[in-house]
Amino acid sequence: GVSWAGFFVFGNGQKFSEDKIEVKINGPEEARSGQAATYRLVIRNRQRAPLANASLEVRYPDNFKIASVNPASDDQENRRWDFGAINEDEEKIIEISGALFGAPPMDLTLRTFLSYRPANFNADFQKVSNFITHLQPLPVEISITGPDAVSPGEEALYAISVLNTAEEPVKNLELSLKLPVNLKINSLAPAPTQGPTAWKLAELWPQA
């Protein structure tokens, strides 16, 4: 009955409420593929007693590329932080920076799992939190110009234009060609930077 009431009572009469264990996630509610993103995780113990064996596990959105974490994690995949004890009204902060990738529109979810054991309590608890970022379509237009028809063996010139229609630069783009099997390339300008028919566009300025 007490578990459904949302709190537990210790032997000394002290109450423990799961609602006073806070995990807040701050991050971008909207983003574009390739855009830098920073998540700020704030863990706070508002109990009048410390927590023991506290640890946080993070599950990242698909195709999230990590650039940095602060403080350093306790595993090579930057997924786990072992805090040990979290004292009364103590706060732990983790900042994770990287870039989001995907085929918009889609929702990307970052999940956290805080495991802990309240003082004077012989059981472990876990608090799960989620943060959703909506991945928006890129503000990029692609156009191809060239002849409507050519004869076998006849040379043809095609021009591909990539236009940024937003008011800010778009970063970390890659343009790749999927060619017909019967098309032979004589030259490409500028020269590809990613394999035989792909270009890395580090930064595309507005109306560029």
Side-chain angles (χ1 to χ4, degrees):
V2 292
S3 61
W4 289 104
F7 62 86
F8 300 87
V9 179
F10 300 124
N12 58 6
Q14 185 180 7
K15 293 181 180 180
F16 167 70
S17 172
E18 294 179 273
D19 292 338
K20 292 187 177 181
I21 308 301
E22 298 179 353
V23 180
K24 294 183 178 180
I25 306 175
N26 297 315
E29 295 183 356
E30 295 183 347
R32 302 187 188 278
S33 184
Q35 179 179 333
T38 297
Y39 294 95
R40 190 172 189 264
L41 317 179
V42 181
I43 301 97
R44 192 177 187 90
N45 175 22
R46 294 192 178 277
Q47 292 291 331
R48 294 185 178 180
L51 304 178
N53 301 333
S55 65
L56 185 77
E57 179 186 350
V58 178
R59 296 182 187 175
Y60 298 103
D62 292 339
N63 300 321
F64 178 69
K65 305 298 183 183
I66 299 175
S68 64
V69 297
N70 184 36
S73 67
D74 291 287
D75 69 335
Q76 294 182 348
E77 297 182 343
N78 296 311
R79 293 179 179 272
R80 183 180 178 86
W81 285 260
D82 294 318
F83 304 125
I86 301 181
N87 296 319
E88 175 186 347
D89 209 33
E90 184 179 3
E91 190 175 75
K92 301 289 186 181
I93 298 176
I94 298 172
E95 289 191 349
I96 304 168
S97 297
L100 295 160
F101 293 90
M106 64 186 302
D107 289 336
L108 302 177
T109 303
L110 182 138
R111 294 183 172 88
T112 63
F113 300 82
L114 177 66
S115 301
Y116 60 92
R117 175 173 293 190
N120 302 322
F121 206 80
N122 193 26
D124 293 326
F125 291 78
Q126 187 176 76
K127 191 178 186 73
V128 181
S129 301
N130 299 322
F131 187 90
I132 297 176
T133 298
H134 180 65
L135 201 62
Q136 297 179 319
L138 286 172
V140 174
E141 294 181 358
I142 301 177
S143 61
I144 303 176
T145 58
D148 294 332
V150 293
S151 301
E154 180 184 357
E155 289 192 355
L157 177 65
Y158 296 90
I160 303 172
S161 298
V162 183
L163 178 66
N164 176 9
T165 60
E167 297 180 355
E168 299 178 353
V170 179
K171 300 180 180 180
N172 300 321
L173 298 179
E174 181 178 307
L175 175 69
S176 61
L177 300 182
K178 185 176 182 181
L179 305 174
V181 294
N182 57 348
L183 177 63
K184 180 182 177 181
I185 296 179
N186 292 330
S187 63
L188 291 170
T193 58
Q194 299 281 107
T197 57
W199 291 261
K200 180 70 173 180
L201 307 177
E203 191 169 37
L204 187 64
W205 289 87
Q207 305 298 317

